[in-house]
Amino acid sequence: MAFLDAEGLRALGLAAIGEDVRIDADARLIGAQRITIGSHVRIDAFAVISAGEDGIAIGDHVHVAAHCFVAGAARIVLDDWAGISGRTSVYSSTDDFSGRSLTGPTVPDDLRDVDSRPVRVGRHVIVGAGTVILPGVTIGDGAGVGAQSLVRRDVEPFTIVVGSPARPVGTRDRRLLELERIADAR
């Protein structure tokens, strides 16, 4: 991996950036002036983060793995300690698929029906590879999402969900909150 140096990070034109941020030179940040990034963040190669008018906020200790896609007009928050595994897609906007309107970015806005709602991936959430998160979803703090899941509804805190559509299968240990305090003390 070839991470951007300090000059390369400044050249992105981000709204705000913390310390110890590593962004691969092959990642793409679109609408960077509407993206805030906390400290101790890593964004891997070929990730695309595209901020619409409401922006994207990435907290502290967040990892966005290779080939992730995070985009939409409504606000997206990846909260502290969240991990987004490879090939995951997070959408805060989607076209109406009913056929009552046209779809796609090349169509005039008055002929489209776009659903844009905020998305929040909570603190200590881990999202497995190949997952799709749709507009309006909140994944509660400490939750886990299994690989290749489709998340269409909110996920309760510390709940493990899997499948398409994602459904609860268990709970996560809250010990990770103690481990956070240990990490912060170091």
Side-chain angles (χ1 to χ4, degrees), residues 5 17 19 28 98 103 138 151 165 178:
D5 59 15
I17 188 168
E19 299 175 4
R28 295 292 175 257
S98 70
T103 61
T138 295
V151 185
E178 294 172 36

Side-chain angles (χ1 to χ4, degrees), residues 142-146 155-162 167-173:
V145 179
V155 177
E156 292 296 316
F158 293 92
T159 300
I160 299 170
V161 297
V162 299
R167 61 199 169 284
V169 296
T171 58
R172 287 186 76 206
D173 194 322

